[in-house]
Amino acid sequence: MSAKKGNFQPAKLDVDSSLIDSQLSFVPKENDDFDQIFSQMNKGSKIETLLPEEEYASVTVYPKQGLCVKTRNTKGGKFFVNLCRVDEIPAPTPMKEDELERMIAEEDYSNLWKVPMSIGAPRKEKDKSGGECFAADVAVNSHWFQATMEPSPIFTAFVITVAIEGLGDKYGEEARLERDSWTILKNKKYLGDKAPPHSIQKRASFGIKPVISD
């Protein structure tokens, strides 16, 4: 099904959170190895090594505007998720829309399909009336965004659901968002003056690690 750019409201998906966790690939940031270490320390986990296994060069990228999603966090505050485009993020492997629908309906945990994405930190912004709100940028591959995700309500809804889950998992209560009451804004592609840069690692494969933008 096709739709005018930013002018449709995909049906909310009832996606099991465990299925989401098994399907997603977050583009790693250059300091993710150390972020992971400190996370383990806070949880009291045993740390086997303090040295990253391998160093990777990083590249600074500037997300391009795409879609702006309005929702609220669990405290009732306005929160805008900017779905952005970045050329340097790899595209997901090809998948048909009906296969994604089947995977969601059957809660198919065996499928290794992943959506590489970069999730930026929430920041304070002003809404159109001047009130305080929060915004965060989530970026996926530019070509996949335009050719596959944007024309498809099912792919768009899935990526929005994924982004909402990823923000809450990474940044806690402030970014824990309502999954069933979001809206794609018709006449706004981005909330904020300018997208902050994202720093991502250049590597052949991408593990399941959240990313923080600089």
Side-chain angles (χ1 to χ4, degrees):
M1 181 191 307
S2 62
K4 290 185 179 180
K5 201 172 190 178
N7 214 20
F8 63 91
Q9 298 304 325
K12 278 58 175 182
L13 299 180
D14 184 15
V15 186
D16 181 83
S17 59
S18 297
L19 177 60
I20 291 176
D21 291 341
S22 72
Q23 302 305 314
L24 306 185
S25 176
F26 294 96
V27 179
K29 178 179 178 289
E30 61 181 314
N31 292 326
D32 266 353
D33 292 306
F34 295 100
D35 291 342
Q36 202 170 46
I37 288 170
F38 288 119
S39 175
Q40 290 174 339
M41 290 176 68
N42 291 336
K43 294 178 181 178
S45 301
K46 180 181 178 181
I47 302 173
E48 296 181 357
T49 178
L50 292 177
L51 296 176
E53 293 180 0
E54 188 174 354
E55 293 185 0
Y56 296 91
S58 64
V59 59
T60 298
V61 298
Y62 292 86
K64 302 170 187 175
Q65 298 179 4
L67 296 176
C68 185
V69 180
K70 179 182 177 182
T71 185
R72 291 186 179 273
N73 59 25
T74 53
K75 297 179 180 179
K78 280 186 183 180
F79 201 110
F80 294 84
V81 180
N82 296 313
L83 287 183
C84 302
R85 300 170 287 126
V86 168
D87 295 341
E88 293 80 0
I89 294 175
T93 55
M95 173 175 280
K96 295 182 178 179
E97 191 175 77
D98 58 355
E99 175 62 14
L100 177 59
E101 289 182 296
R102 183 204 62 77
M103 187 180 74
I104 293 170
E106 297 179 6
E107 297 183 6
D108 181 3
Y109 299 93
S110 65
N111 194 309
L112 298 180
W113 184 71
K114 299 183 184 298
V115 179
M117 59 174 55
S118 174
I119 297 184
R123 63 185 184 274
K124 289 185 178 180
E125 291 283 357
K126 298 287 185 182
D127 63 16
K128 64 179 181 180
S129 61
E132 188 174 277
C133 62
F134 287 92
D137 301 339
V138 176
V140 298
N141 176 266
S142 297
H143 178 74
W144 186 81
F145 182 108
Q146 294 173 308
T148 301
M149 189 203 83
E150 193 172 24
S152 165
I154 186 73
F155 277 111
T156 298
F158 184 73
V159 171
I160 291 172
T161 303
V162 166
I164 287 173
E165 289 292 322
L167 280 162
D169 288 346
K170 179 61 183 177
Y171 298 107
E173 290 303 316
E174 188 176 80
R176 207 166 298 285
L177 309 177
E178 296 179 357
R179 280 180 51 175
D180 301 322
S181 60
W182 49 262
T183 302
I184 296 176
L185 300 184
K186 294 182 179 180
N187 300 313
K188 196 174 206 50
K189 296 182 180 180
Y190 190 86
L191 192 284
D193 293 329
K194 185 178 180 182
H198 285 213
S199 179
I200 61 175
Q201 288 180 355
K202 298 169 66 176
R203 59 168 70 183
S205 60
F206 294 82
I208 304 177
K209 295 181 182 179
V211 63
I212 305 175
S213 63
D214 290 336

